Amino acid sequence: MSTATLLHILSAYLFCMGMLGLILRRNTIVMLMSIELMLNAVNLSFVTFARELAQLNGQVQVFFIITIAAAESAVGLSILINVYRSFGSIKTDHTTVMRS
Amino acid sequence: MSFSNMFPMYFIQGQQWLGLLPLLCMALTAIATLLLAPLRLQGRATAFAMLLIGSIAAVASTVVFPFSETIIILDGVLVFDRLSQVFSAICVLAGLAAALMSLGFDEREALQTEYFSLIAFAVVGMMAMVSTRNLVFFFVSLELMSLAVYVLVSMHRQSSMASEAGLKYFLLGGAASAVMLYGASILYGTTGSLDVEGIRNAFQSQWGGKLPILPLIGLGLFSVGLLFKIGAFPFHVWIPDVYTGAATPVTGFMISAVKAAATGALLRMSIELFALPVAAEPFLITVLSIIIVATLLFGSLVGARQTRLKRIFAYSTIVHTGYVLLGFLALLGGGAGAKDASSAIVSYTVFYVVMNLGAFAVLTLISPKDNDDISLDQLTGLGTRRPLLAFALSVFLLSMAGIPPTAGFFGKYYIFSAALASGYTWITVVAAIASVVSAIIYLRPMIHMYMKESDESYSALPSNWLGSNMIVGLSLFLTVVMGLIPAWFSKLL
């Protein structure tokens, strides 16, 4: 199997792990990390595709995605602080006042 | 490969500045508002004034300098045409309306002064989102909008509901945009282009429009992000909770501007990206039909049982998403109605934005302190307590229900006739049934306002803010005008 195929499988695996983590875990910090994992899986997939296609275009996009991921985790952590102040916990079991 | 080949220098020139002007106005406004907001004296008023000036300048620059041909910057990273102009104007004006209706409310509920700059940043994101053909830039602008809105939702610091809503919206929204980005990556890998036009050409030249499984997965994942923002059936779960938890003006902003921006982006992507593969694959039409039916039925059936006003409007917006998606079905189906479908979608979005902004301005005015989650019981006797507000709210509700002389009726009429012309008879019948069922959603608040005895304990509802009153008056006027000359609005595109 070529390196590119292995890298694609790895990125799909990481992406699915991120998705699973988001669905299964109850700790919001871990959920935040799962979202970051998904974005990094996408980064890996972009770089692999760019290497396969021999283009610089796809590799440059990774910088945009890293920047957005950093901004997203900053906003996410501040939302978590806000949640901790209101509920005294960041476990999703304890942060519900609304009936869904 | 030399440096200048790898990184060609690019200068914006002539006509391109003209197209860029509204976006530049709004971006500078956002930064200026952020810098001015912490001023100790009058920070709030200064920030609002900046936003007002910037928004008016942005809208004026689209009206004063109209251009006929499409302006393309950086090979499609930014595209300015009629579609992007119309949707940018809608988003800017909706953002301004949301800022106006929060004047007074933000001081009473102690919202931070950065509120106005966050609105401006979200609007910049929306404007970029509706005017791009590049998938990664689309993601960047979507995130610019979303990150600002996440903060706006959880800004109501005293309320634990707001923090819960912010958390839910952030986690689900982050996951949806990551899924969307993975789709973009697969599309890039299979076609070798990030540009929508390049992807479409590759579809045509490599597979003749009939796609193999991998690019289809890419398209599917990419549309998840769009369907999430627009609130279609499997991705609607966040809407009721987030719309209830956010402060009322913020909900008004999300229900109007964010929805309009998502619709505009979906319209551009449908015309330029989705149309070709969907035309070759009847299976995708079936999937879209199922989504539409599920969205309509879920929204109207669950919405009819709600007792809190913001939840009622949240389910009503899910039903409206169903109608808009019906327009997209007519557009993508490629029948005789495809030509009218895009203008029907645009006019529906305009009508929808105006009536929702009006309704939320009314909600802002009647919301009690510290808990702006108004129940139907708190509406009782509004017809005698605040007759003008009750009348305005009734007009907006009737318009949302689609009762004939109002704007909402014509919006639905254009969508339904486009779908019928494309030959989707049974699904249009389902939509018509859903609109009858969803009339219950809108009639219940009216019954409470006019036909129930006033409960004295709720009668002390003090607020009488100028900004919200202006929005109510303006929306009322526009709803009536749109009902009189709906044809003008269907020619916007």
Side-chain angles (χ1 to χ4, degrees):
Chain A
M1 220 186 295
S2 68
T3 325
T5 321
L6 283 174
L7 284 173
H8 283 312
I9 293 171
L10 177 64
S11 80
Y13 173 78
L14 286 177
F15 190 84
C16 294
M17 283 302 112
M19 198 52 139
L20 273 181
L22 198 70
I23 295 167
L24 296 177
R25 298 302 291 266
R26 287 285 164 266
N27 187 328
T28 31
I29 296 267
V30 179
M31 291 166 93
L32 194 65
M33 282 155 62
S34 301
I35 292 178
E36 298 297 307
L37 187 62
M38 286 161 84
L39 287 176
N40 283 324
V42 175
N43 277 344
L44 183 61
S45 134
F46 257 116
V47 172
T48 318
F49 277 130
R51 175 126 183 107
E52 271 186 303
L53 296 162
Q55 286 182 356
L56 263 184
N57 195 5
Q59 304 201 14
V60 175
Q61 311 306 327
V62 170
F63 293 115
F64 291 104
I65 300 170
I66 290 174
T67 317
I68 294 290
E72 196 162 316
S73 49
V75 169
L77 285 174
S78 56
I79 287 177
L80 285 196
I81 290 174
N82 197 6
V83 166
Y84 187 76
R85 277 198 189 137
S86 318
F87 294 98
S89 164
I90 52 162
K91 295 272 164 63
T92 46
D93 315 329
H94 305 142
T95 57
T96 43
V97 282
M98 280 183 285
R99 185 178 54 85
S100 306
Chain B
M1 210 189 282
S2 72
F3 182 79
S4 62
N5 273 342
M6 282 166 73
F7 301 103
M9 294 297 263
Y10 192 88
F11 296 103
I12 294 169
Q13 51 214 348
Q15 187 95 11
Q16 294 182 330
W17 282 110
L18 220 56
L20 204 55
L21 200 57
L23 195 56
L24 271 183
C25 277
M26 217 50 218
L28 289 177
T29 307
I31 295 165
T33 320
L34 189 63
L35 292 178
L36 289 175
L39 286 184
R40 222 146 56 84
L41 298 166
Q42 300 298 321
R44 207 178 286 273
T46 323
F48 174 74
M50 275 308 299
L51 180 61
L52 184 69
I53 295 167
S55 306
I56 290 173
V59 174
S61 60
T62 56
V63 179
V64 176
F65 305 115
F67 43 84
S68 45
E69 74 271 39
T70 306
I71 294 174
I72 295 173
I73 297 176
L74 272 172
D75 300 330
V77 166
L78 282 171
V79 176
F80 297 102
D81 52 9
R82 188 72 186 161
L83 192 154
S84 65
Q85 275 190 321
V86 169
F87 277 96
S88 298
I90 295 173
C91 293
V92 173
L93 289 176
L96 185 59
L100 263 172
M101 72 168 88
S102 53
L103 285 181
F105 181 92
D106 58 343
E107 240 161 320
R108 190 187 76 183
E109 305 286 329
L111 297 182
Q112 302 290 308
T113 38
E114 280 77 12
Y115 181 84
F116 297 111
S117 71
L118 284 171
I119 285 187
F121 274 112
V123 170
V124 174
M126 292 167 193
M127 293 170 83
M129 199 169 116
V130 296
S131 41
T132 180
R133 279 184 185 152
N134 185 297
L135 296 188
V136 168
F137 189 73
F138 181 81
F139 167 75
V140 171
S141 45
L142 183 94
E143 284 296 293
L144 177 56
M145 175 187 88
S146 308
L147 289 177
V149 177
Y150 299 148
V151 180
L152 278 175
V153 168
S154 46
M155 201 171 215
H156 205 191
R157 271 203 303 190
Q158 291 80 354
S159 149
S160 50
M161 252 165 46
S163 6
E164 184 196 341
L167 182 67
K168 276 183 180 163
Y169 191 28
F170 172 78
L171 290 174
L172 294 174
S177 38
V179 170
M180 191 188 85
L181 197 60
Y182 199 50
S185 161
I186 291 175
L187 283 177
Y188 168 69
T190 46
T191 61
S193 172
L194 275 169
D195 187 69
V196 169
E197 207 138 279
I199 292 174
R200 200 180 52 212
N201 291 340
F203 282 172
Q204 190 65 268
S205 59
Q206 287 182 29
W207 303 294
K210 191 139 180 71
L211 299 186
I213 188 75
L214 197 58
L216 267 185
I217 291 175
L219 273 182
L221 292 182
F222 186 73
S223 57
V224 165
L226 285 166
L227 289 178
F228 175 85
K229 284 291 168 214
I230 206 175
F233 172 65
F235 314 108
H236 67 280
V237 279
W238 58 279
I239 285 195
D241 281 357
V242 174
Y243 281 14
T244 315
T248 310
V250 175
T251 314
F253 180 62
M254 288 171 72
I255 212 168
S256 56
V258 174
K259 219 48 180 299
T263 312
L266 191 57
L267 186 55
R268 178 181 293 284
M269 290 300 161
S270 296
I271 294 171
E272 299 187 355
L273 182 60
F274 298 143
L276 183 69
V278 169
E281 198 79 61
F283 163 71
L284 295 175
I285 290 286
T286 319
V287 173
L288 185 57
S289 310
I290 292 170
I291 290 178
I292 293 170
V293 171
T295 311
L296 284 170
L297 291 184
F298 179 85
S300 48
L301 291 179
V302 183
R305 294 187 308 161
Q306 301 302 317
T307 53
R308 304 236 145 216
L309 267 180
K310 270 154 88 183
R311 243 171 217 280
I312 287 176
F313 282 115
Y315 283 100
S316 123
T317 195
I318 296 177
V319 182
H320 285 292
T321 300
Y323 300 138
V324 172
L325 284 179
L326 186 62
F328 280 105
L329 181 70
L331 179 71
L332 292 171
K339 219 160 55 168
D340 298 330
S342 48
S343 51
I345 291 167
V346 173
S347 56
Y348 192 85
T349 311
V350 175
F351 299 157
Y352 166 85
V353 163
V354 168
M355 55 209 188
N356 272 297
L357 280 173
F360 272 86
V362 175
L363 287 200
T364 322
L365 284 173
I366 59 177
S367 68
K369 193 172 179 343
D370 286 335
N371 173 26
D372 55 352
D373 188 17
I374 309 155
S375 71
L376 280 177
D377 292 333
Q378 278 164 299
L379 268 187
T380 48
L382 195 73
T384 48
R385 275 184 283 134
R386 315 271 300 258
L388 285 177
L389 274 188
F391 171 71
L393 187 55
S394 317
V395 172
F396 299 136
L397 287 169
L398 287 176
S399 178
M400 284 182 206
I403 307 294
T406 52
F409 167 73
F410 291 101
K412 248 182 233 177
Y413 171 74
Y414 290 139
I415 296 261
F416 285 5
S417 53
L420 282 177
S422 284
Y424 296 103
T425 317
W426 68 268
I427 199 165
T428 315
V429 171
V430 171
I433 293 171
S435 87
V436 174
V437 175
S438 68
I440 301 170
I441 302 181
Y442 306 111
L443 291 179
R444 279 176 74 212
M446 291 182 65
I447 292 171
H448 277 266
M449 278 193 294
Y450 287 110
M451 295 180 178
K452 298 230 168 152
E453 277 302 306
S454 175
D455 185 344
E456 286 305 315
S457 58
Y458 294 126
S459 59
L461 295 171
S463 338
N464 206 0
W465 297 308
L466 182 63
S468 299
N469 278 326
M470 269 169 64
I471 297 299
V472 172
L474 205 60
S475 304
L476 191 60
F477 174 72
L478 277 176
T479 310
V480 174
V481 168
M482 284 167 174
L484 294 176
I485 48 161
W488 189 83
F489 292 91
S490 70
K491 290 193 196 77
L492 273 178
L493 199 66

